[in-house]
Amino acid sequence: MTTNQIRLQLETPEKTNISSLAFSADSQRLVTIGGKRIHFWDVTTGTETPRMGPLDARACSVTFSPDGTMVAAATGTSVYVIASAKANELN
């Protein structure tokens, strides 16, 4: 891959501002927070895998667990832990 070039541009279907994002440890998946929704992306294809939400409030932070099997997202008052962050298990 050539450095300093845009490889992919992703946009949430709702066109909401993305407040946080995180790559999985293998760099194959990306999770973003936009408004009250959690979006999962396949970085190799650029496709969005199932999204989750709406949450109770706008989320401000998101991260993968070190082994990539869970995602945690935080709003101002709540933390959501998604037990399986694997795209094929979210369907």
Side-chain angles (χ1 to χ4, degrees):
M1 176 188 330
T2 306
T3 58
N4 298 325
Q5 290 186 345
I6 296 172
R7 178 178 173 196
L8 189 62
Q9 179 177 341
L10 305 170
E11 294 182 9
T12 63
E14 303 89 6
K15 305 290 188 214
T16 55
N17 291 331
I18 295 174
S19 57
S20 182
L21 58 86
F23 274 100
S24 60
D26 63 5
S27 298
Q28 299 299 306
R29 294 173 293 144
L30 182 71
V31 61
T32 63
I33 292 289
K36 294 182 177 184
R37 297 201 182 273
I38 301 170
H39 299 267
F40 294 87
W41 306 90
D42 180 323
V43 177
T44 58
T45 64
T47 57
E48 182 183 17
T49 56
R51 72 185 77 125
M52 300 188 76
L55 307 175
D56 66 348
R58 289 185 174 273
C60 55
S61 180
V62 66
T63 189
F64 274 98
S65 62
D67 66 1
T69 61
M70 294 188 287
V71 165
T75 67
T77 58
S78 300
V79 173
Y80 296 87
V81 177
I82 300 158
S84 178
K86 295 181 179 178
N88 62 346
E89 294 178 10
L90 290 170
N91 292 322

